[in-house]
Amino acid sequence: MLRSMTGFGKCTIMINGKNFSAELRSLNSKFLDLNLKIPALLREREIDLRSLLSEKLIRGKAELVIELQSGEKALYSINRNAFKKYYSELESLADDMNIPAGNLLDIVMRIPDVLTASGEQLSSKEYAALEKAIDKTVAMLDDFRIKEGNELQREMIKRIARIQKISSEIKKTEGTRKAQIRERLRQKLNELRPVNSDEMRLEQELIFYAERLDITEELVRLESHCSYFLEVIADKEISKGKKLSFITQEIGREINTLGAKANDAPLQKLVVEMKEELEKIKEQVNNVL
């Protein structure tokens, strides 16, 4: 089962008169990129929150927004030492630069740590309740990821099957293609070779050149990579986007080699069709967890 890196979850909870809402979004990214927007009373818990999300999200660009609406108006206190320090520094800076100081009171009061809410602390019991709500939000996001992943899985399996079908068509025509190439070479040699040429040497060169255009090994490896791709998709491992990406690179390498060796218009057309399917698979793999 695949999981997409795209997801969304939202949950609200009331804890001792404090109404919390947690909203979690995630998009695709090569690594885990967490952005937290949390109220001041949760700042000391930021490391815990990051650890919780890192364990569960694994990969993706994720943003957790926690908002607090308190049932009672919070009481605020002024950090007098911080106020004096900031006010003095701003006033001195204004004098040094010979600019109007303006209303420094309003400016200083907007500086973090000058005005703080009193009694706004979360106990261990309250945080445990909030953590359960965040777990629920993550579970909702994971359900979203699974649903999106199922769609990606169906599409990729269909496209891999298309590549395998084209590969089978190429196998069926490979004998004919090699015979046609050999005959074209023979005709060209007959046109160009001198009268007293070494027939055996020409035949050896003809066989050598024809072998260089042989694509049997590429077709075998291509089938092996496609089968492995399907095995990884069916695996129970949660995060497998990177592994699938590596396999698509190997599939692309074999398809490119087929195109380079084709020397045949119908085969080139089939190679282009496989490349089209593979490009769509690569786009989808980029969003797999």
Side-chain angles (χ1 to χ4, degrees):
M1 178 187 295
L2 294 183
R3 280 175 168 80
S4 166
M5 277 188 280
T6 302
F8 174 79
K10 186 174 183 178
C11 185
T12 60
I13 185 173
M14 181 72 73
I15 305 175
N16 293 337
K18 302 181 182 73
N19 186 29
F20 289 92
S21 69
E23 185 173 297
L24 181 62
R25 300 174 182 272
S26 70
L27 299 171
N28 61 316
S29 175
K30 288 184 178 180
F31 309 100
L32 180 62
D33 181 8
L34 284 177
N35 182 29
L36 272 59
K37 295 181 180 179
I38 56 178
L41 80 167
L42 287 176
R43 284 176 185 167
E44 63 181 20
R45 298 284 188 174
E46 182 173 346
I47 294 177
D48 296 330
L49 290 171
R50 286 186 176 276
S51 177
L52 172 67
L53 294 174
S54 298
E55 180 183 349
K56 296 180 180 296
L57 298 180
I58 303 175
R59 282 179 69 201
K61 185 176 182 179
E63 180 180 70
L64 174 66
V65 179
I66 299 178
E67 295 182 344
L68 166 64
Q69 293 180 343
S70 180
E72 300 177 357
K73 289 187 177 179
L75 298 176
Y76 290 90
S77 61
I78 297 175
N79 186 330
R80 300 177 71 88
N81 290 332
F83 180 92
K84 291 176 181 178
K85 180 176 181 296
Y86 289 132
Y87 191 97
S88 176
E89 289 184 358
L90 287 172
E91 188 176 44
S92 175
L93 182 62
D95 289 341
D96 290 345
M97 300 186 68
N98 195 28
I99 58 175
N103 191 349
L104 289 181
L105 177 63
D106 287 345
I107 296 173
V108 174
M109 291 300 289
R110 293 192 183 98
I111 297 176
D113 302 329
V114 171
L115 191 65
T116 58
S118 302
E120 288 287 347
Q121 293 183 349
L122 216 58
S123 67
S124 297
K125 187 176 181 180
E126 290 174 326
Y127 177 74
L130 177 61
E131 194 175 61
K132 288 182 179 179
I134 295 173
D135 281 337
K136 185 177 179 181
T137 305
V138 174
M140 292 173 64
L141 178 137
D142 194 48
D143 288 341
F144 195 105
R145 282 180 159 186
I146 291 173
K147 182 180 178 181
E148 291 284 318
N150 287 336
E151 292 295 326
L152 291 173
Q153 181 169 319
R154 278 193 289 269
E155 282 295 312
M156 285 191 284
I157 289 175
K158 182 175 69 175
R159 299 190 188 285
I160 287 292
R162 176 61 182 154
I163 291 175
Q164 289 175 313
K165 183 179 179 182
I166 295 172
S167 177
S168 296
E169 292 176 10
I170 293 174
K171 285 179 184 178
K172 292 176 183 177
T173 62
E174 177 58 3
T176 304
R177 184 187 74 94
K178 289 167 69 174
Q180 290 173 344
I181 291 174
R182 185 176 284 108
E183 182 59 29
R184 287 203 304 267
L185 289 173
R186 190 181 298 278
Q187 291 176 2
K188 183 61 67 175
L189 285 171
N190 287 334
E191 294 175 7
L192 300 176
R193 68 182 176 180
V195 176
N196 296 322
S197 60
D198 186 337
E199 187 68 26
M200 183 174 291
R201 177 63 183 273
L202 288 174
E203 184 67 23
Q204 289 175 346
E205 292 293 334
L206 185 64
I207 294 172
F208 175 74
Y209 188 76
E211 287 299 321
R212 289 183 60 186
L213 298 178
D214 183 75
I215 57 174
T216 303
E217 290 186 11
E218 285 74 19
L219 290 172
V220 170
R221 286 195 294 265
L222 177 59
E223 178 57 35
S224 176
H225 295 326
C226 287
S227 297
Y228 186 43
F229 189 94
L230 296 176
E231 286 177 18
V232 172
I233 282 182
D235 191 87
K236 293 182 180 180
E237 185 180 357
I238 293 177
S239 180
K240 41 197 172 186
K242 290 182 179 180
K243 186 180 291 186
L244 291 175
S245 180
F246 294 145
I247 300 172
T248 58
Q249 292 177 25
E250 295 302 315
I251 292 174
R253 186 172 289 112
E254 302 305 331
I255 292 175
N256 287 334
T257 306
L258 287 174
K261 287 185 172 185
N263 198 26
D264 180 73
L267 177 55
Q268 286 284 10
K269 182 179 179 181
L270 293 175
V271 167
V272 169
E273 289 182 26
M274 286 195 290
K275 285 184 176 181
E276 288 177 352
E277 296 296 338
L278 183 62
E279 283 304 309
K280 292 172 184 175
I281 291 172
K282 287 181 178 179
E283 291 176 7
Q284 292 158 344
V285 166
N286 284 338
N287 200 33
V288 173
L289 183 63

